[in-house]
Amino acid sequence: MADDASVMNLADEKHRPTTAAERREAFELLRKAASPDSAHLRAGLLWLAVAAGLEALGPVLGKWFIDTYLIPRHGDLPAMFGIVGGVLLAGCIASWVRYLQLVRLAGVAMRSVQRIREQVYAHVLALPMSFFDRAIIGQLVSRVTNDTESVKGLYVQVLFVMLDSVIALAGMMIVMAFLDWRLMLIVATLIPAVVAIVALYQRWSAPAVSRARELRSDINAQMAESINGMPVIQASNAAQRFAARFAQTNASHYESRLAELRANAWLLRPALDFLNVLLICAVILVFGIRSGTETGGLSAIEVGVLYAFISYIARVVEPLIQITMQFSVLQQSIVSAARVNHLIKEAEAPKAASAGEVRKGAIRIENLDFAYNPGVRVLHQINLDIPAGSFFGIVGHTGSGKSTLLSLLLRFYESEPGAIRIDGQPLMSLGDEAFRRAVGLVPQEPFLLAASARENIDMGRGLSEERIVAAAQAARAHDFVLQLPEGYDTALGEGGARLSVGQKQLLAIARALAGDPKILFLDEATSHIDSETEQQVQQALSELRGRVTVVAIAHRLSTIRDADRIVVLNHGRLAELGSHDQLMAISGGIYQRLYQLQQIEIANEQELNAQPSASPA
């Protein structure tokens, strides 16, 4: 079972900036996601270097044009047109190469994000049920969708822009050093200035970015919670309270985004534009001093060099501006990647030690104890033998441990080694695929896809038409399915909106039976259905007797009245065990009291239904 502290951290890490270790782990996650495309990355770097070299040719050719033809007033038109054409050709080729590399790196980005999203979703499917007991669904959805989408910005924008800018910057610095290394040193002062600006920006904006991402998850979670609980919210007149809570969260998100934008406005483009002006002034000043000094030990330089350096300053500053502008996206992407990585680090459900299989479906429970939290046991010394093909019911008051026992039998939680055996094999020794194939579950709240009746029974298992129809017939669902407009191909709507509660439950039973299970678990499957549907469920269960081991938790005791044995739990202990008649013979017994109370409730309900409604005046 996953550590409770780590599960709680998913919801409790709100508004906390990412640490250096988390950022390193996030970068490692991003690197691994892109590693299958390393060849594309290397090719992209090579071609971006070619584009940078071509772009650096422009000012050099301009210098040559000025020094060779413009200043001497040497009018060699073919040569002059050749130089201008060379500048245009180099610029066009550089732009085309950059476009191709943007397409290449965008493909790398999309594939990397696809791998991360698939990895996260597969990991979520493998998490233990203890994780979902505490996790907030809206935040989980935000991590699988919004956060992975935010990571795409790093690959598409940051990866391309930063690589292109760094390579272009390096190429132009090399050319400037070749032209005049002393002036190049003046231009190079931009780099430490930019590093200082970026460090200050990261320090200022990191808390705001992290808080904004968490608050976006809160917004998603509150929206999902409100939509799912809309009938209760409106019925309890809580709409205004929920709206006020949402408005408060939304306002906090606005403030966090505003703080981030303030950092962008002060420290990124404006600061670098100001440095650009200072740098141009410095180069012109130094050029003027050197040109006007005859005995200072510095030789006069050509006008072409000044033109080249002024051109290069603009081309150097722009990549630096692009790099710093991408730090906003980088900051958000790293926070998102860290949140995704935090989810991936959650411990998965333990895997089976071997590949045992369920052959008959006999269940044996010996001295079973269980606690969700250390020192607080909810099951105490449960001992039970359930023969293969038998029908066992489990009843008890709320909190007696029924659902916990069922969860242990379903391996949603890990029990003590050897405490639960199926066909004589320890529960955890059974292969995962073999165990799930041999076990069927009908939950209290039937889960239906927004798909056809056929797809809901099949659940992606590729079952044959005969098997799907046979399962529906066994579950008493075949007749009402045929009455749907398109039969088994009828789209049922979100959550099976086109079906009644009873029809949903019968379809859920059909789905469980379609897998031809050896063991069938029912978790209060008849608690929300009418008496007629309950009788259909009872008939379906009766026909399974001798072929499938049925274990049913029941709130309606009439559902399990005909069970071979009824298990009565009380405060996590096995209090009574026997058939319906045997348990009813125990004077003052728990089962006897439960059954009698239900009979009184049924009689009162029938009496109320039998009373004639008052006629209108």
Side-chain angles (χ1 to χ4, degrees):
M1 188 171 75
D3 181 74
D4 288 341
S6 67
V7 174
M8 292 299 291
N9 283 344
L10 181 64
D12 294 342
E13 61 177 2
K14 296 179 184 296
H15 321 323
R16 177 179 60 81
T18 56
T19 63
E22 288 173 335
R23 288 194 292 270
R24 286 194 299 270
E25 291 176 352
F27 272 116
E28 181 63 17
L29 172 67
L30 300 175
R31 185 195 66 78
K32 288 181 178 179
S35 59
D37 287 310
S38 57
H40 285 288
L41 289 175
R42 288 192 295 269
L45 288 174
L46 177 62
W47 283 107
L48 286 176
V50 171
L54 291 171
E55 186 176 8
L57 279 177
V60 173
L61 292 175
K63 174 188 175 299
W64 185 20
F65 180 85
I66 292 172
D67 292 343
T68 306
Y69 300 102
L70 193 61
I71 298 299
R73 298 188 177 183
H74 177 57
D76 186 351
L77 290 179
M80 293 170 67
F81 278 112
I83 293 174
V84 174
V87 172
L88 292 175
L89 181 62
C92 290
I93 295 175
S95 297
W96 178 248
V97 169
R98 279 202 173 89
Y99 164 74
L100 294 178
Q101 301 326 299
L102 175 59
V103 173
R104 181 195 298 273
L105 293 178
V108 172
M110 299 303 294
R111 290 189 293 273
S112 299
V113 171
Q114 181 182 13
R115 294 185 194 105
I116 292 176
R117 187 170 288 155
E118 290 174 354
Q119 179 185 0
V120 173
Y121 184 67
H123 182 73
V124 169
L125 292 178
L127 289 173
M129 289 303 298
S130 57
F131 174 85
F132 298 99
D133 288 343
R134 294 169 174 83
I136 300 174
I137 302 303
Q139 292 182 350
L140 279 179
V141 173
S142 178
R143 296 203 178 189
V144 177
T145 56
N146 293 346
D147 286 337
T148 53
E149 188 67 20
S150 179
V151 169
K152 184 180 72 175
L154 183 143
Y155 285 114
V156 175
Q157 296 296 332
V158 179
L159 185 64
F160 174 76
V161 173
M162 284 193 169
L163 284 178
D164 182 37
S165 300
V166 168
I167 293 172
L169 180 62
M172 283 180 279
M173 295 298 288
I174 292 172
V175 175
M176 282 190 290
F178 175 76
L179 293 174
D180 190 309
W181 65 270
R182 286 164 293 191
L183 287 179
M184 184 274 291
L185 291 178
I186 296 175
V187 178
T189 58
L190 266 178
I191 297 176
V194 168
V195 171
I197 290 174
V198 167
L200 185 59
Y201 169 77
Q202 185 175 10
R203 183 179 183 86
W204 190 357
S205 67
V209 172
S210 180
R211 178 176 171 81
R213 297 301 303 178
E214 291 296 339
L215 287 169
R216 180 186 290 186
S217 292
D218 288 350
I219 288 173
N220 290 337
Q222 290 183 23
M223 184 67 71
E225 182 182 55
S226 300
I227 291 174
N228 290 333
M230 192 60 67
V232 176
I233 292 174
Q234 294 188 0
S236 58
N237 196 29
Q240 291 184 348
R241 293 192 296 274
F242 274 75
R245 185 184 68 163
F246 183 83
Q248 183 178 2
T249 305
N250 205 26
S252 299
H253 180 263
Y254 168 79
E255 292 295 334
S256 298
R257 289 289 292 154
L258 197 60
E260 180 189 348
L261 293 175
R262 287 194 190 102
N264 291 354
W266 280 102
L267 294 177
L268 296 183
R269 186 91 197 202
L272 287 173
D273 285 340
F274 179 67
L275 288 177
N276 182 28
V277 173
L278 291 179
L279 195 60
I280 292 175
C281 293
V283 169
I284 293 176
L285 180 62
V286 171
F287 176 82
I289 293 173
R290 290 175 58 178
S291 298
T293 303
E294 296 181 358
T295 59
L298 297 173
S299 61
I301 60 175
E302 300 90 342
V303 175
V305 173
L306 177 61
Y307 162 78
F309 265 84
I310 296 297
S311 298
Y312 279 129
I313 287 173
R315 299 183 185 215
V316 165
V317 169
E318 187 59 32
L320 290 174
I321 289 175
Q322 290 300 322
I323 289 173
T324 53
M325 291 297 290
Q326 294 308 314
F327 265 89
S328 173
V329 180
L330 176 64
Q331 189 83 355
Q332 295 181 34
S333 298
I334 292 302
V335 170
S336 297
R339 284 159 48 82
V340 170
N341 190 61
H342 189 275
L343 176 59
I344 291 176
K345 287 168 61 179
E346 290 288 340
E348 294 186 358
K351 303 296 183 182
S354 62
E357 294 190 4
V358 179
R359 295 181 176 83
K360 297 181 179 179
I363 302 173
R364 185 183 183 94
I365 304 173
E366 295 181 320
N367 301 321
L368 175 62
D369 293 314
F370 181 75
Y372 291 102
N373 299 309
V376 186
R377 288 192 295 177
V378 294
L379 292 179
H380 309 265
Q381 292 293 298
I382 303 295
N383 291 276
L384 190 62
D385 275 318
I386 304 177
S390 60
F391 178 13
F392 269 56
I394 302 177
V395 301
H397 295 288
T398 300
S400 61
K402 305 185 300 296
S403 296
T404 298
L405 178 58
L406 183 61
S407 296
L408 292 173
L409 291 171
L410 286 164
R411 297 207 311 201
F412 290 163
Y413 298 92
E414 188 175 2
S415 59
E416 296 177 357
I420 301 177
R421 293 176 176 271
I422 294 182
D423 291 339
Q425 307 167 86
L427 184 62
M428 293 308 298
S429 70
L430 299 170
D432 289 333
E433 185 176 348
F435 177 76
R436 298 302 174 196
R437 188 171 58 246
V439 171
L441 170 66
V442 182
Q444 180 177 0
E445 298 291 341
F447 167 73
L448 295 183
L449 304 171
S452 67
R454 183 191 313 280
E455 291 169 314
N456 270 282
I457 296 175
D458 182 36
M459 284 295 285
R461 291 174 288 190
L463 303 177
S464 64
E465 176 74 13
E466 293 76 12
R467 197 165 174 179
I468 291 174
V469 172
Q473 290 174 336
R476 301 297 189 273
H478 179 68
D479 292 340
F480 82 76
V481 170
L482 288 182
Q483 294 174 3
L484 296 173
E486 299 178 38
Y488 282 88
D489 295 317
T490 303
L492 302 182
E494 184 73 26
R498 301 185 65 168
L499 303 180
S500 68
V501 175
Q503 289 173 332
K504 293 178 187 179
Q505 200 62 276
L506 293 178
L507 208 61
I509 295 174
R511 173 196 297 157
L513 296 180
D516 194 20
K518 297 291 190 299
I519 303 172
L520 179 63
F521 295 111
L522 294 94
D523 185 6
E524 299 195 18
T526 60
S527 59
H528 298 317
I529 60 179
D530 55 50
S531 300
E532 181 180 354
T533 307
E534 182 189 10
Q535 291 178 359
Q536 292 178 317
V537 172
Q538 288 175 332
Q539 293 174 4
L541 295 179
S542 298
E543 293 182 0
L544 297 176
R545 184 168 289 176
R547 297 188 294 110
V548 178
T549 303
V550 178
V551 178
I553 292 179
H555 173 72
R556 286 186 176 180
L557 301 184
S558 55
T559 304
I560 48 93
R561 175 171 179 163
D562 295 331
D564 299 314
R565 289 287 185 272
I566 299 173
V567 179
V568 182
L569 296 180
N570 187 37
H571 299 298
R573 290 180 168 82
L574 200 161
E576 299 171 6
L577 176 66
S579 65
H580 170 78
D581 293 336
Q582 290 171 336
L583 295 179
M584 288 299 294
I586 301 175
S587 179
I590 297 174
Y591 180 83
Q592 185 189 69
R593 294 200 304 272
L594 288 173
Y595 187 81
Q596 290 173 346
L597 283 173
Q598 283 200 5
Q599 293 303 307
I600 293 174
E601 291 174 358
I602 293 172
N604 290 337
E605 183 178 350
Q606 291 176 345
E607 183 178 349
L608 287 173
N609 293 335
Q611 291 178 357
S613 56
S615 58

